[in-house]
C-alpha cells in the first residue's frame, strides 16, 4: 500500500534529484523509496558485500596460488610478444 510522505529539502537538491531520476528513467518517489529500502534492508549487513548471481556465474572454481608472481608472468608475456 502506497502512502504519501511530505519532505522538506533544499530546492537545489530537489532539482538535482529530479534530473537524476529522469536520467535513470524512474520517478523521484521510486528513487527515494529504493534508497530508503536499501538503507533499512536487514538482508545485507554493512560489512558484507553482496555478489550478484551474474558475477558468481563468472567464477570457475580455480584459485590463484599464494606465491603467484603476476609481474613476472606479465614480463615473460611481454618479452615473448615483442621478440
Amino acid at each position: 500500500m502506497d502512502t504519501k510522505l511530505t519532505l522538506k529539502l533544499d530546492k537545489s537538491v530537489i532539482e538535482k534529484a529530479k534530473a537524476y531520476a529522469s536520467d535513470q528513467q524512474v520517478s523521484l518517489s521510486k528513487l527515494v523509496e529504493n534508497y530508503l529500502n536499501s538503507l533499512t534492508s536487514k538482508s545485507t549487513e554493512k560489512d558484507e558485500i553482496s555478489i550478484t548471481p551474474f558475477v558468481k556465474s563468472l567464477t570457475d572454481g580455480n584459485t590463484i596460488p599464494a606465491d603467484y608472481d603476476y609481474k613476472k608472468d606479465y614480463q615473460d608475456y611481454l618479452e615473448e610478444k615483442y621478440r
Side-chain angles (χ1 to χ4, degrees):
M1 177 173 85
D2 290 345
T3 304
K4 189 173 183 176
L5 172 68
T6 303
L7 300 172
K8 286 187 177 186
L9 303 171
D10 187 81
K11 188 174 184 175
S12 65
V13 172
I14 294 171
E15 294 305 316
K16 287 190 259 183
K18 283 182 179 180
Y20 179 81
S22 177
D23 289 345
Q24 300 299 313
Q25 298 179 343
V26 66
S27 70
L28 186 55
S29 293
K30 188 53 108 173
L31 185 71
V32 171
E33 179 181 357
N34 289 341
Y35 177 68
L36 292 175
N37 191 33
S38 71
L39 285 178
T40 59
S41 176
K42 295 182 181 185
S43 64
T44 305
E45 295 181 22
K46 290 182 181 180
D47 296 337
E48 182 181 317
I49 298 173
S50 62
I51 300 173
T52 64
F54 173 72
V55 173
K56 286 181 182 176
S57 73
L58 297 175
T59 63
D60 61 1
N62 292 334
T63 58
I64 299 172
D67 61 343
Y68 177 68
D69 186 2
Y70 70 92
K71 290 181 180 179
K72 170 125 178 45
D73 232 12
Y74 186 61
Q75 180 181 357
D76 294 344
Y77 163 77
L78 291 177
E79 286 175 359
E80 183 66 31
K81 180 179 178 180
Y82 293 109
R83 279 189 189 190

